[in-house]
Amino acid sequence: MSGQVAIVGAGPSGCYLAQALLKAQPDLIVDLIDRLPVPYGLVRYGVAADHQGTKGVTRQFARLFERQGARFFGNVAVGEAITLDALRAAYDVVVLAAGLSVDRPLGIPGSDLPGVIGAGRLTRSLYEHPDADALPDLGPRPLIIGNGNVAIDLLRLLAKTPEELEGSDLGAGPTKWLERQAIEEITITGRSPAAQAKFDAVMIKELAKLAGVTIRVIGAGASDDPAEQKKIDALLALDGIATGPRRVTFRFGLTPLGVEGADRAEAVHFTSPAGEETLPCSSVLTAIGFDPAADLPRDALVSLAADAEAGVLAPGLYAAGWFRRGPRGTIPDNRADAQALAGAILTDLAPDPSRQGAAVLAALPDVTDYTGWTRIDSAETATARPGRCRSKIATRDAMLSIARKDHGDAP
Amino acid sequence: MKLAILYGTETGNAEMLAEDLTAELEGANEVDCHNLADFAPADFAPDTFYLLICSTYGDGELPASAQPFAEVMEAEKPDLSAIHFAIFGMGDSEYDETFNHGPKRLAELMAAHGANQIGDRIAHDASGADMAEDLAFPWAEAVIEMAQDTVGEAA
């Protein structure tokens, strides 16, 4: 008896953890459980549609299920369909790797006006997450608040011409939606000076390729720190790029005080070291971090944690990825974390053969498995439209129906 | 001639390719596979042909697992003039300015210490249509053929 591990969340952190666990101990039972019928979480619904190279890590994750013996249990919402306590009773180890999916609120007057939209909510809609809201109207002049990689991803997607989205997996509906927005101007504002912006320089350099924009960078400043200056240099290299009519403006050091508008967002009022300023806009996109969803009591678990920094919440209960570290760090950062956590889990592991493991999930309705995902994946790639590498199945019902197909047909 | 595959990885993609290549080659060859993070430059041997697989990360930098190796190389400055290697790079042309700069740096680091490169540096593009192994397997076959007469000669 080698031990049974349940990982809640089949996104990159959960998958890297499973990979590290199974590499170290190949006979371990590792079950990845996800609330969606499909695996890969952020890689499928958060990584930008035009960053297909980044999505290539799913080839590694497929190995988990195809060669390393990990199992996938999709369409299982822990905290709803099954309690965390029931899962903990069934497995020697439970790891929460559910990410952080709720947009951190702006929390200023007017931030509940229509037209103020969180980046997570918008990207879930853009990337056809089955639980996403309908795509909102942004109008011709969206203003982005935030200076991290999520904000830059959003800026790039909105700034691209239809031709620049060739090879992506942006869906038919979102593609039409984007054209309909007829965006004229995108302003991106950060609270910090450019030197302290959270984005990576490489994300800024990528913007130099945009084919239909006129870029201005205002008040990038300077820094004595080489890493900071590298970001500033990348920004300054964008200033003056003029490849087309869509205006993109970078602003820094602007702290939002309030969103203004009669019945929807029409402007944001800021304060800055230079004084107060109001920037008109047609919508406000916030990309200022993420908070946990309500289904798992993350705050309570972390506050009671034995060693939250190491990801140890309680005996047999661990946290990985953004669920542990907060909304910072890239996919490979979380790989390194997962490898460290796997070591700690295996050190602590004391298998109890009386635990029922995956049998605890057997009575749940419409649970999908990895074979079901391969059917969905094949259907999505087989029906890709010209200029796209995939056509995502966008509803839970359709996913379940395809995942179930041929069940029982085996000889 | 022995073979050793050394990989520098950040997301694990280069590691996966290194493992696949090891499996592909080990039937007909004596082959070892090491993460560069676990390989000491003092262990380079003239009777072994080194197949380097390296990605790029961040702003054209070496991937995390190659960085400690690079630091030791620069500190110890080993004489690698009897060592032969070939290098396969992995990158993403979405970041065109720094595309495949990681393996380029690694190849330059090897050359700077006298090591002899066999064959051209091949670059796989994660945003392209090819699977890495579809380029890497024929590459390995070709460079191993090229190395047959040279590797170990000086030893």
Side-chain angles (χ1 to χ4, degrees), chain A residues 16 23 50-54 56-57 59-60 63 67 156 160 201-203 205-206 209 230 330-333 335 339, chain B residues 7 9-16 19-20 57-61 92-98 126-127 131-133:
Chain A
Y16 275 131
K23 215 162 221 184
D50 60 342
H51 276 176
Q52 291 298 317
T54 305
V57 291
R59 290 195 71 213
Q60 290 180 57
R63 293 271 171 103
R67 296 193 197 170
R156 190 186 66 254
K160 279 194 166 179
V202 65
M203 293 283 289
K205 289 187 178 177
E206 189 187 356
K209 287 192 297 182
K230 197 164 146 184
T330 58
I331 289 174
D333 293 336
R335 174 176 183 261
Q339 291 177 336
Chain B
Y7 62 88
T9 194
E10 178 92 25
T11 66
N13 291 339
E15 179 171 347
M16 182 168 79
E19 288 169 355
D20 287 355
Y57 207 70
D59 198 18
E61 287 130 34
D92 186 342
S93 63
E94 184 64 26
Y95 309 102
D96 55 352
E97 194 187 301
T98 54
S127 287
M131 294 293 174
E133 59 271 28

Side-chain angles (χ1 to χ4, degrees), chain A residues 181-250:
Chain A
Q181 301 308 300
I183 291 171
E184 295 166 5
E185 174 169 31
I186 307 167
T187 305
I188 177 165
T189 68
R191 183 187 289 255
S192 313
Q196 275 106 52
K198 293 193 168 61
F199 49 66
D200 292 316
V202 65
M203 293 283 289
I204 297 298
K205 289 187 178 177
E206 189 187 356
L207 301 177
K209 287 192 297 182
L210 288 172
V213 294
T214 297
I215 303 180
R216 285 173 69 207
V217 177
I218 300 173
S223 171
D224 298 334
D225 178 271
E228 292 184 352
Q229 188 57 41
K230 197 164 146 184
K231 282 184 199 177
I232 294 170
D233 289 342
L235 281 163
L236 292 176
L238 297 181
D239 189 34
I241 284 178
T243 55
R246 189 168 281 162
R247 297 188 300 282
V248 172
T249 307
F250 283 84

Side-chain angles (χ1 to χ4, degrees), chain A residues 25-39:
Chain A
Q25 196 175 315
D27 63 344
L28 203 63
I29 291 171
V30 177
D31 293 341
L32 284 137
I33 300 172
D34 204 284
R35 60 185 299 117
L36 290 182
V38 293

